[in-house]
Amino acid sequence: MERSILLCLCMVVLLVASDCGIAVAGNKVAKQVSGGPIEFNQSTILGCGMSQLPHAEFKALMILINGLSSDLEARLKTYKLSTSAFLALDAIARTDVGSAYPMTRASLARMINTTPGSMSVLVSRMKRDGLVTEMSLNERSKALTTTKLGRSMLAGGSVAWEDTFDGLSKALSPTAKKQLLQTVAKLNLIRKHEQDEERRVAYMRTLSKKETKIAVGKHQEESRAAASRARARFD
């Protein structure tokens, strides 16, 4: 459960703090993560009272994630890995030892929530560094597997991962961890719905009036079914 929580946090879009108020609050959160329990007080949440941004609770979350991401990136550099490369290696290695369908560039892009072009650049870099290899599955896709060097770097990266999040993990009770995981799952579900809606709107623009009417009806049925499943999952 702890790994799932922290993986979700790492895949949230990061904001770069540039103003003094955010920097002070970020340093405070970082000290709390490394030196004791995390306490979100008025000063921490509002950026020392200087911020006028709405949704202060999300701002505090982004500050925390930004600090944790920076710490993780610094540790992963020892093993010549970025956060994206580490997450990709981890996913590929899991399919190496299991019976799951092999990872491809497309499936990795969907998992890490990045574009196929960005994933292609990442995979090419990992191949260049000798971390992964590719083998043809069919005419359109290739299976990714980790090399001996890749597995060695992944093992070192896993230690960096544990070192980065050890303080945060210990600061949360089992109940708090469960609640955090449920909250992150809800936020991811909302974000996925927004992305699906954007793709649906783009697709609808390419249809005729008759095709649009049929597609709208089908989408409404799917939306109702998805909403019902979501309510059952979180209730």
Side-chain angles (χ1 to χ4, degrees), residues 56-72:
E57 66 280 7
F58 290 109
K59 176 181 171 183
L61 176 61
M62 302 311 285
I63 292 171
L64 174 60
I65 294 172
N66 191 52
L68 290 172
S69 180
S70 296
D71 291 345
L72 179 60

Side-chain angles (χ1 to χ4, degrees), residues 35-128:
I38 301 173
E39 298 178 0
F40 287 98
N41 53 36
Q42 189 73 4
S43 175
T44 303
I45 293 177
L46 297 181
C48 302
M50 297 174 63
S51 174
Q52 300 299 318
L53 289 175
H55 307 299
E57 66 280 7
F58 290 109
K59 176 181 171 183
L61 176 61
M62 302 311 285
I63 292 171
L64 174 60
I65 294 172
N66 191 52
L68 290 172
S69 180
S70 296
D71 291 345
L72 179 60
E73 286 279 357
R75 288 186 170 98
L76 288 175
K77 282 184 179 179
T78 303
Y79 306 98
K80 299 180 180 180
L81 295 174
S82 64
T83 299
S84 296
F86 172 71
L87 295 175
L89 267 182
D90 180 66
I92 296 169
R94 289 174 185 275
T95 60
D96 285 346
V97 298
S99 57
Y101 190 78
M103 275 288 176
T104 63
R105 297 188 182 203
S107 59
L108 269 178
R110 288 191 296 270
M111 189 202 76
I112 300 181
N113 194 26
T114 188
T115 64
S118 296
M119 181 51 62
S120 181
V121 172
L122 177 61
V123 170
S124 296
R125 187 180 301 125
M126 291 194 294
K127 287 178 63 178
R128 181 199 64 197

Side-chain angles (χ1 to χ4, degrees), residues 81-178:
L81 295 174
S82 64
T83 299
S84 296
F86 172 71
L87 295 175
L89 267 182
D90 180 66
I92 296 169
R94 289 174 185 275
T95 60
D96 285 346
V97 298
S99 57
Y101 190 78
M103 275 288 176
T104 63
R105 297 188 182 203
S107 59
L108 269 178
R110 288 191 296 270
M111 189 202 76
I112 300 181
N113 194 26
T114 188
T115 64
S118 296
M119 181 51 62
S120 181
V121 172
L122 177 61
V123 170
S124 296
R125 187 180 301 125
M126 291 194 294
K127 287 178 63 178
R128 181 199 64 197
D129 294 340
L131 304 178
V132 299
T133 60
E134 282 186 303
M135 180 179 66
S136 293
L137 286 173
N138 50 54
E139 294 181 355
R140 299 186 59 184
S141 59
K142 296 181 180 180
L144 289 161
T145 57
T146 55
T147 64
K148 183 177 180 179
L149 176 61
R151 291 187 290 274
S152 176
M153 294 297 101
L154 177 60
S158 297
V159 174
W161 176 279
E162 296 296 339
D163 289 344
T164 301
F165 298 115
D166 186 57
L168 177 62
S169 179
K170 290 180 178 178
L172 298 175
S173 67
T175 300
K177 291 174 185 176
K178 182 178 180 179

